[in-house]
Amino acid sequence: MIRGIILLVVALGMAIGAGITVMGLFAPLAPTLEIVNHFRPFILGGFVVLFAIAAAFRMRRWLLPVSAFAILNGVLFVLPMTFQATQASPNSTSSATMKIISFNIWVGDRSLDEVERFLRRENADVVMLQEFDAKHAAALLPKLKDIYPHQLSCAQTRACQLAVLSRNTWTDANYLAGSLENPPIIWARFGAGAEGYRIAGIHGAWPFHPYAQASHTDWLIAWR
């Protein structure tokens, strides 16, 4: 009886996990399915649990398909990070370093006193804030003026709600409110010519808005 229940659990888990895995592979054709890929670590974990159950109850015929899908999900989980790592190229023109903090205030009841203490303790050169509304700006920006004299915020714009803070003077800074086509974005440019650089902060669409997220990604690639 117990073995029959275990067998049913493994079979159902295998069917559901395989179906979800295959759905995620079609995300490039149907952006709505991309939400599946955000849960890839949990899918991988589910197959690991199924493998452990199948091994414990000596269900040999299930070991191969379960392990195959576990490996597939592991590869799909690691592959994007591996690709990103290969695209990264260190700047060989300068040995100077700088510290940047990207911090989502998270519109809600977060303690701004704790945020201030965190930013002072971390002592970054540039800070990018997201989900930063007018209430946050009025309470936090004046307190940080002594260490971040250069500040730009679009907190007053509901379709933006970002801020950039800097210890050093920038040559240019601006922002663009978000839409279905582009994410809200704020940036500051430092230096000029070959030594110049720009730091940008964004808040892309949530995974629950897949078509907007896809549009935002395409827009960012073109903007970059």
Side-chain angles (χ1 to χ4, degrees), residues 36-92:
V36 172
N37 295 322
H38 288 268
F39 296 93
R40 186 71 63 194
F42 301 100
I43 302 171
L44 172 60
F47 277 111
V48 171
V49 171
L50 289 178
F51 183 87
I53 293 174
F57 285 85
R58 297 180 180 178
M59 300 176 178
R60 291 189 178 89
R61 68 171 185 157
W62 288 100
L63 292 178
L64 180 59
V66 169
S67 59
F69 272 93
I71 293 171
L72 175 60
N73 277 279
V75 171
L76 292 173
F77 175 58
V78 173
L79 199 59
M81 293 182 285
T82 304
F83 174 76
Q84 291 173 356
T86 61
Q87 300 302 302
S89 56
N91 185 355
S92 59

Side-chain angles (χ1 to χ4, degrees), residues 30-217:
T32 303
L33 298 177
E34 179 62 27
I35 188 66
V36 172
N37 295 322
H38 288 268
F39 296 93
R40 186 71 63 194
F42 301 100
I43 302 171
L44 172 60
F47 277 111
V48 171
V49 171
L50 289 178
F51 183 87
I53 293 174
F57 285 85
R58 297 180 180 178
M59 300 176 178
R60 291 189 178 89
R61 68 171 185 157
W62 288 100
L63 292 178
L64 180 59
V66 169
S67 59
F69 272 93
I71 293 171
L72 175 60
N73 277 279
V75 171
L76 292 173
F77 175 58
V78 173
L79 199 59
M81 293 182 285
T82 304
F83 174 76
Q84 291 173 356
T86 61
Q87 300 302 302
S89 56
N91 185 355
S92 59
T93 62
S94 174
S95 60
T97 61
M98 67 185 307
K99 185 174 183 177
I100 303 171
I101 286 178
S102 178
F103 194 108
N104 190 316
I105 296 295
W106 189 35
V107 173
D109 193 24
R110 185 186 293 275
S111 171
L112 295 182
D113 290 337
E114 291 183 8
V115 173
E116 180 188 359
R117 286 194 293 270
F118 167 76
L119 294 178
R120 288 184 179 277
R121 182 175 68 249
E122 292 302 314
N123 197 33
D125 297 287
V126 177
V127 176
M128 293 290 181
L129 301 174
Q130 301 90 35
E131 295 195 30
F132 188 70
D133 63 21
K135 176 184 66 177
H136 297 138
L140 192 59
L141 293 186
K143 293 181 179 180
L144 294 172
K145 196 72 174 179
D146 59 325
I147 58 171
Y148 294 112
H150 308 284
Q151 303 178 348
L152 177 65
S153 167
C154 57
Q156 72 283 357
T157 304
R158 186 173 179 80
C160 195
Q161 296 190 330
L162 303 170
V164 53
L165 316 178
S166 174
R167 292 183 176 279
N168 303 311
T169 305
W170 53 54
T171 56
D172 179 42
N174 211 333
Y175 62 83
L176 178 66
S179 69
L180 291 176
E181 287 74 32
N182 67 274
I185 183 169
I186 193 167
W187 68 88
R189 188 187 302 275
F190 299 85
E195 297 298 319
Y197 56 92
R198 178 169 54 183
I199 301 174
I202 70 161
H203 191 302
W206 287 16
F208 304 105
H209 304 285
Y211 287 93
Q213 191 178 66
S215 296
H216 288 183
T217 301

